[in-house]
Amino acid sequence: MRVDLGNALDTVVSPGIQRDALDRLDERVADAHERIETGRENHDHGYESLNLPETTDTDEIQTAVESFADAKTVLTVGIGGSALGAATLAHGLESDVDAYFLDNVDPEHVSSLLDNISLSDTAVNVVSRSGTTAETLTNFLVVRDAMESADVDWTERTFVTTGEEGNLRNLANRHNLPALDVPDGVPGRFSVLSTVGLACAAIQGHDIGAVLSGARAEANRLSGSLFESPAYAYGTACYALDERGAGINAMMPYAESLETFAEWFAQLWAESLGKDGLGQTPVRALGATDQHSQLQLYRAGPRDKMVTFVRPTERDDCAIPETDLPGLEYLGGQSLGTLLDAEFEATEASLAESGQPSVRLEIDRVDEYGLGELLYCLEASCILAGELYSVETFTQPAVEWGKRAARGLLGDGDFDEADSVADKSTFVIE
Ligand SMILES: O=P(O)(O)OC[C@H]1O[C@H](O)[C@H](O)[C@@H](O)[C@@H]1O
């Protein structure tokens, strides 16, 4: 995988990074790399995520899902880091087995999904590291009830992925459900390369070993210099651009299949780096679609953002038929891929021409290997950026504040956070 920083340099854009600033930052990258490597060696919380390409046992995952070989659908019940990684792989790769995700408790959505899938042909994966997340457990109760109503033995169609303890682990033990462990030291948003992200892919028939091979290739490129490591180059560029005023990072893949990847990135970046008044705001965009909406702002709006382009250099293509329709002759005989590439090059150039920074990430293809590279690269970029910001990359106290407030409101104990809801000020206009 390749990272091109050409359109992030101050000779091209503003804000931009001076070439010698990168040299200075490289000394900090060397120190950060050492801390990261020490964290990996000691299996410290969070840093352990970067060991997953070596530690994840694909046989264990295949064994846990083997009784679902007949599934026509896989339904993942989880939220945040317990759903987005699996969803990124499912939406990135084609399969005959449909994948759905219940990662919200919108009653209309939940009911409509359950009404429209054949539960007797579905494998249900309930995923929660803590085993206590209210949205996940309530959704599971609703799914279980729907299975019972449809005369489906839910214990035959359900497996869980969870930590050593918690409600979900108890449920698995009580009903003898197949259970996969969430590895220690791996926060949800860094867990795509573990049991959490790969079980759904395994049921869909994807080559999860190839995902890990791609990740391993990126792991092998981590070094004490950003000039030798695409992951560190990207993490450093984001940090440096943010320091210079690009506080927004618009993730814009040029592949429909990577739309969910941008969602995964948003969680990774926001939850890991948004601390102590620091952190870039991740925004989701999709090329070429959002060229026709957000691009106006990206080119002509405030100089407070960078765009991250992700482009596969190879893809299956689709020919554009020859046409004699006046004005459209130039398109006939080309291909949709050629058009998409031209749109990409044009957008990248349009930002550079107006002085707005961007970074280009390239993988060869959106396949198992390419996704493994991309996901690992961005996790390592994020961890490196966290070191440069000096924030606690692997905690999420602000998210937990909201979780406690909600539990208090729902009567699951006394939580001070719930009192703040009553203190809310209002200024309503009708
Ligand atoms: O896996 P769970 O324990 O159910 O947690 C699911 C999600 O919950 C919280 O919102 C955390 O901030 C996320 O990082 C986590 O991925």
Side-chain angles (χ1 to χ4, degrees):
M1 118 156 240
R2 296 159 294 284
V3 174
D4 183 349
L5 303 184
N7 287 332
L9 298 176
D10 73 335
T11 45
V12 183
V13 294
S14 173
I17 315 166
Q18 307 84 329
R19 183 60 185 73
D20 56 353
L22 281 179
D23 290 332
R24 286 193 298 278
L25 278 166
D26 204 33
E27 290 170 25
R28 292 180 60 196
V29 169
D31 291 343
H33 177 62
E34 226 169 276
R35 288 195 297 279
I36 292 169
E37 288 303 295
T38 306
R40 289 178 68 184
E41 279 158 29
N42 295 337
H43 307 287
D44 289 341
H45 183 70
Y47 298 106
E48 177 68 1
S49 318
L50 294 181
N51 294 332
L52 287 172
E54 302 300 335
T55 56
T56 297
D57 181 350
T58 54
D59 291 341
E60 182 200 358
I61 296 172
Q62 297 291 6
T63 306
V65 304
E66 72 191 0
S67 57
F68 303 108
D70 63 334
K72 295 194 172 68
T73 302
V74 51
L75 174 62
T76 301
V77 182
I79 197 166
S82 287
L84 282 169
T88 298
L89 294 173
H91 297 154
L93 303 167
E94 296 220 340
S95 169
D96 294 337
V97 179
D98 295 327
Y100 295 99
F101 295 84
L102 278 183
D103 63 350
N104 200 350
V105 281
D106 178 332
E108 289 176 341
H109 171 67
V110 174
S111 308
S112 129
L113 178 66
L114 294 177
D115 284 348
N116 284 298
I117 57 177
S118 164
L119 292 168
S120 56
D121 298 321
T122 298
V124 177
N125 185 199
V126 195
V127 190
S128 173
R129 168 181 244 298
S130 62
T132 58
T133 302
E135 292 91 333
T136 299
L137 294 174
T138 46
N139 270 339
F140 170 63
L141 293 177
V142 173
V143 171
R144 185 169 76 164
D145 191 52
M147 286 182 137
E148 281 170 350
S149 302
D151 273 334
V152 175
D153 182 351
W154 68 272
T155 61
E156 292 290 313
R157 307 298 313 167
T158 305
F159 71 107
V160 307
T161 309
T162 190
E164 271 172 36
E165 291 172 2
N167 301 331
L168 206 48
R169 176 64 61 179
N170 298 341
L171 178 96
N173 290 343
R174 188 159 156 203
H175 295 280
N176 208 19
L177 306 177
L180 283 164
D181 296 330
V182 175
D184 283 343
V186 178
R189 58 190 174 277
F190 290 92
S191 66
V192 57
L193 300 169
S194 75
T195 49
V196 175
L198 297 178
C200 168
I203 293 180
Q204 286 196 290
H206 300 309
D207 182 352
I208 59 175
V211 177
L212 294 175
S213 297
R216 209 170 296 122
E218 278 314 295
N220 291 338
R221 286 182 197 125
L222 297 183
S223 87
S225 170
L226 72 97
F227 301 109
E228 291 167 7
S229 165
Y232 288 168
Y234 180 67
T236 308
C238 294
Y239 167 78
L241 286 170
D242 185 15
E243 292 270 287
R244 288 158 180 73
I248 297 169
N249 186 346
M251 175 56 74
M252 190 167 187
Y254 269 70
E256 190 84 18
S257 57
L258 292 179
E259 195 170 8
T260 308
F261 157 77
E263 265 186 71
W264 172 88
F265 170 79
Q267 186 202 11
L268 181 76
W269 220 243
E271 210 172 27
S272 302
L273 305 176
K275 281 151 201 168
D276 308 332
L278 300 168
Q280 279 186 318
T281 302
V283 172
R284 294 175 253 165
L286 180 67
T289 310
D290 287 317
Q291 274 175 235
H292 301 272
S293 61
Q294 299 174 26
L295 187 63
Q296 176 62 37
L297 175 75
Y298 296 168
R299 185 176 146 97
R303 296 184 171 277
D304 58 357
K305 60 187 79 58
M306 60 176 284
V307 175
T308 302
F309 294 111
V310 181
R311 182 171 75 145
T313 52
E314 298 160 24
R315 57 178 112 227
D316 294 340
D317 214 338
C318 174
I320 303 172
E322 295 285 358
T323 178
D324 55 4
L325 279 174
L328 294 185
E329 297 92 339
Y330 75 101
L331 292 171
Q334 305 221 42
S335 72
L336 293 184
T338 313
L339 178 57
L340 188 59
D341 281 343
E343 300 284 353
F344 164 74
E345 297 283 357
T347 302
E348 188 185 50
S350 119
L351 293 181
E353 200 273 335
S354 66
Q356 302 274 16
S358 68
V359 174
R360 182 200 286 212
L361 309 180
E362 278 184 354
I363 53 173
D364 290 344
R365 283 186 86 87
V366 182
D367 57 11
E368 285 95 335
Y369 188 90
L371 282 168
E373 284 184 306
L374 185 62
L375 295 164
Y376 189 94
C377 174
L378 288 167
E379 288 184 10
S381 302
C382 181
I383 293 173
L384 187 272
E387 299 292 322
L388 297 177
Y389 284 111
S390 289
V391 293
E392 288 191 6
T393 307
F394 306 114
T395 61
Q396 55 284 327
V399 174
E400 271 149 26
W401 192 100
K403 273 177 136 173
R404 283 194 298 276
R407 281 175 69 183
L409 288 180
L410 291 165
D412 188 33
D414 271 340
F415 292 92
D416 291 345
E417 291 84 352
D419 298 340
S420 304
V421 179
D423 296 341
K424 181 192 175 300
S425 54
T426 55
F427 179 46
V428 179
I429 291 104
E430 290 186 55

